[in-house]
Amino acid sequence: MQQELNDFMDEQKIAIEQELHYRLTNLDIPERLKDSMLYSVEAGGKRLRPVLLLAAHRAYSHGSDAPFGPAIALEMVHTYSLIHDDLPAMDNDDVRRGQSTNHKKYDEATAILAGDALLTYSFEMIAGDPGLTDNQKASITTSFTQASGPKGMVAGQILDMKAEDREITLDELEHIHILKTGALLRFAVSTGAYLGGADSGQIRHLDTFAYYLGLIFQVQDDILDVTGEAEKLGKPVGSDAVNDKNTYPKILGLDGAIRKKFDYVKQAKEALNQAGAKSTYLSMLTDYFSTRDY
Amino acid sequence: MQQELNDFMDEQKIAIEQELHYRLTNLDIPERLKDSMLYSVEAGGKRLRPVLLLAAHRAYSHGSDAPFGPAIALEMVHTYSLIHDDLPAMDNDDVRRGQSTNHKKYDEATAILAGDALLTYSFEMIAGDPGLTDNQKASITTSFTQASGPKGMVAGQILDMKAEDREITLDELEHIHILKTGALLRFAVSTGAYLGGADSGQIRHLDTFAYYLGLIFQVQDDILDVTGEAEKLGKPVGSDAVNDKNTYPKILGLDGAIRKKFDYVKQAKEALNQAGAKSTYLSMLTDYFSTRDY
């Protein structure tokens, strides 16, 4: 089962990266802007969001083409959010995925503009996708703005900043993660399923599934910062505690965080069972999210 | 004629500002984010871009509803670009329109996120507009991303930055302005006319018109920095020369810049004459752009 998921993830990752490369290298724009956009988009990563979108599509589709337009739009928006998050005024990070952050490699102004450009261009990936009907384009664009904008990811970022210097409750922590990380994951799952032909009842269950999947992703991130191996993670462990960050282990203890994770996994799988998916990739991805070691 | 244009502009401005206020105050999002978005959106200004869109609509429409969705999307994107442009890493401006810039009033991180939020939310104003068909939504979203993203305004911003420390030619100066300012003005005119029912030949002439209108806007900006009154402009005059900025008067001399402006006005009106507009607002706006004293 693990091998089957690995093969699926590798295959999708390659296709996603080819699409991203093609869409960006063919842009007729100033070189410095293009270079800085490509630099961050091609910095690697697991491409979990577009993989999830394509897995959700596969779970319902009867042979319709894989929706690469929305999938790469999603990865572009994720990348823009990392570039802006890393800026000195935000998290002030110099290194991401083992290489200089965008503003260290180029400069702050270029990083701000590269993020703005990726965000804007992502909407063209949807509106200009010949594989989508006009009705699908309008529907997906609306849910995409809701997931990534002031009602979704951007709201999560501002709440996260405001929570930095104080103790927060588990409810508050979950609320921040559901917006900051969860909104894009929910968009991934519901959009893939919608384009694959899932009905509205199935999509409702999938949205519950993706809600918990986002929390699983985050609690495992926090757990790995305590128990992970720096070499595998590509970053030092224990930095959350040093920086006194609001994490699951801080609020619940390590054992409590692990118990919480298994509770989330149970809830995610219950919702998934009710959603009538044809394939098992979403179930396998749930296990992957909860057991990953990097 | 002047009074007729003033009445039209005032009337549209009031309607645009009501729409903007309504769309933003009704957002259920974190207060600090909403405040900072509203702060910059409601900082005033002439709302020239949405007014131009509505004027172009009026020039062809046979009574169809005014397209406020795309009009306010345009003003949101213009506002986001000002917020990000003012950041310390970009132009580092403390004051705009007589009040503190967004990052001085709030902080840099909030200003970055408020800009990101306005940009993202602007696409919802189009995709969620009940007055547009799905086909219109897809078409307008595509041209909006092209005007505001890496092929349009963002390209102009990066080229402008790169040109800061060297002498440039008139061709380069025009190229930067056409992207940085012109792209959104061309979107305004072509989108308004398209939704008003102009045919593709008319829209082609209007695009030429808007191309020159963008240059008229910019050359007048440069001229006012030499000949204007600080009180009316709400900012000191002569700052372009002090900062050794690339301007029309620097390249052509003041008289040369004024001659260039009249050349642009002639070209703009020729194109407009061929575009078969029903109303005279676009022609009156051309005179307004070229003679405004603030």
Side-chain angles (χ1 to χ4, degrees), chain B residues 21-34:
Chain B
H21 185 79
Y22 177 78
R23 302 306 183 102
L24 289 168
T25 50
N26 279 296
L27 269 174
D28 182 21
I29 62 172
E31 281 307 313
R32 186 177 175 81
L33 181 60
K34 193 199 287 196

Side-chain angles (χ1 to χ4, degrees), chain A residues 92-109:
Chain A
N92 194 20
D93 282 319
D94 292 352
V95 176
R96 176 176 290 277
R97 291 172 184 154
Q99 68 177 39
S100 297
T101 47
N102 197 295
H103 66 274
K104 293 303 278 187
K105 170 78 178 180
Y106 298 92
D107 54 58
E108 273 185 64

Side-chain angles (χ1 to χ4, degrees), chain B residues 30-47:
Chain B
E31 281 307 313
R32 186 177 175 81
L33 181 60
K34 193 199 287 196
D35 288 349
S36 64
M37 291 165 77
L38 272 166
Y39 176 78
S40 289
V41 166
E42 304 205 319
K46 306 184 209 76
R47 314 297 184 187

Side-chain angles (χ1 to χ4, degrees), chain B residues 16-17 20-21 24 35-45 47 75-76 79-80 83 97 99 102 118:
Chain B
I16 290 157
E17 290 180 346
L20 283 166
H21 185 79
L24 289 168
D35 288 349
S36 64
M37 291 165 77
L38 272 166
Y39 176 78
S40 289
V41 166
E42 304 205 319
R47 314 297 184 187
E75 189 66 8
M76 286 181 188
T79 306
Y80 120 75
I83 296 173
R97 291 174 183 152
Q99 68 177 40
N102 198 295
L118 284 168

Side-chain angles (χ1 to χ4, degrees), chain A residues 27 29-30 80 84 89-90 108-109 113 116-117 119-120 123-124 127 134-135 141-142 145-146 148-151 155 157 161, chain B residues 27 29-30 80 84 89-90 108-109 113 116-117 119-120 123-124 127 134-135 138 142 145-146 148-151 155 157:
Chain A
L27 268 174
I29 61 173
Y80 119 76
H84 282 191
M90 307 271 286
E108 273 185 64
L113 292 172
D116 292 345
L119 171 57
T120 313
F123 288 98
E124 199 171 328
D134 287 337
N135 184 256
T141 300
T142 300
T145 62
Q146 290 173 349
S148 56
K151 298 176 214 169
Q157 287 169 309
M161 271 169 41
Chain B
L27 269 174
I29 62 172
Y80 120 75
H84 281 191
M90 307 270 286
E108 273 186 65
L113 292 172
D116 293 344
L119 170 57
T120 313
F123 287 98
E124 199 172 327
D134 287 337
N135 184 257
T142 300
T145 63
Q146 290 174 349
S148 57
K151 298 176 213 167
Q157 287 168 309

Side-chain angles (χ1 to χ4, degrees), chain A:
Chain A
M1 190 171 100
Q2 187 59 51
Q3 190 55 46
E4 193 187 343
L5 180 66
N6 284 347
D7 290 347
F8 174 77
M9 289 177 73
D10 286 347
E11 187 191 310
Q12 303 305 316
K13 184 175 186 300
I14 289 167
I16 290 157
E17 291 181 346
Q18 278 176 344
E19 281 283 336
L20 283 166
H21 184 80
Y22 177 79
R23 301 307 182 100
L24 289 168
T25 50
N26 279 298
L27 268 174
D28 181 22
I29 61 173
E31 281 305 315
R32 185 177 176 80
L33 180 61
K34 193 199 289 197
D35 289 348
S36 64
M37 292 165 77
L38 272 166
Y39 176 77
S40 289
V41 166
E42 304 205 319
K46 307 185 209 75
R47 315 297 185 186
L48 286 180
R49 288 155 192 80
V51 164
L52 198 56
L53 191 153
L54 296 170
H57 178 262
R58 186 78 68 100
Y60 294 92
S61 150
H62 296 268
S64 63
D65 284 346
F68 279 105
I72 62 172
L74 184 53
E75 188 67 9
M76 286 180 188
V77 161
H78 174 56
T79 306
Y80 119 76
S81 77
L82 300 181
I83 296 173
H84 282 191
D85 253 3
D86 287 337
L87 287 167
M90 307 271 286
D91 289 349
N92 194 20
D93 282 319
D94 292 352
V95 176
R96 176 176 290 277
R97 291 172 184 154
Q99 68 177 39
S100 297
T101 47
N102 197 295
H103 66 274
K104 293 303 278 187
K105 170 78 178 180
Y106 298 92
D107 54 58
E108 273 185 64
T110 303
I112 292 167
L113 292 172
D116 292 345
L118 284 168
L119 171 57
T120 313
Y121 191 46
S122 74
F123 288 98
E124 199 171 328
M125 298 301 94
I126 296 167
D129 185 341
L132 302 176
T133 66
D134 287 337
N135 184 256
Q136 289 172 333
K137 290 173 186 177
S139 164
I140 293 170
T141 300
T142 300
S143 53
F144 195 36
T145 62
Q146 290 173 349
S148 56
K151 298 176 214 169
M153 183 177 69
V154 176
Q157 287 169 309
I158 208 136
L159 292 178
D160 194 21
M161 271 169 41
K162 279 174 59 185
E164 262 171 21
D165 299 321
R166 59 186 181 87
E167 307 254 319
I168 62 173
T169 65
L170 181 62
D171 279 355
E172 283 181 278
L173 187 72
E174 287 183 333
H175 184 57
I176 291 168
H177 291 322
I178 285 159
L179 291 167
K180 191 175 172 179
T181 317
L184 286 192
L185 296 178
R186 287 165 87 171
F187 170 81
V189 170
S190 64
T191 301
Y194 160 68
L195 291 174
D199 65 35
S200 60
Q202 291 172 321
I203 290 174
R204 213 166 41 243
H205 289 302
L206 282 174
D207 190 52
T208 305
F209 160 72
Y211 174 97
Y212 287 108
L213 194 64
L215 293 174
I216 294 166
F217 182 84
Q218 197 57 52
V219 67
Q220 182 66 1
D221 227 45
D222 291 352
I223 290 170
L224 283 173
D225 193 71
V226 181
T227 66
E229 293 170 41
E231 207 174 316
K232 275 189 181 158
L233 290 167
K235 62 180 180 185
V237 296
S239 64
D240 287 349
V242 170
N243 296 317
D244 200 29
K245 281 207 175 175
N246 287 302
T247 65
Y248 281 91
K250 184 179 169 194
I251 296 174
L252 299 173
L254 180 60
D255 286 352
I258 292 169
R259 276 197 301 276
K260 197 74 195 162
K261 181 177 72 173
F262 287 119
D263 180 44
Y264 290 152
V265 171
K266 186 164 160 282
Q267 307 254 29
K269 292 211 169 170
E270 273 177 21
L272 187 58
N273 279 337
Q274 298 184 304
K278 281 199 311 173
S279 81
T280 54
Y281 289 127
L282 292 177
S283 175
M284 289 191 276
L285 277 164
T286 311
D287 294 327
Y288 172 79
F289 271 51
S290 70
T291 59
R292 68 194 170 89
D293 57 6
Y294 72 96

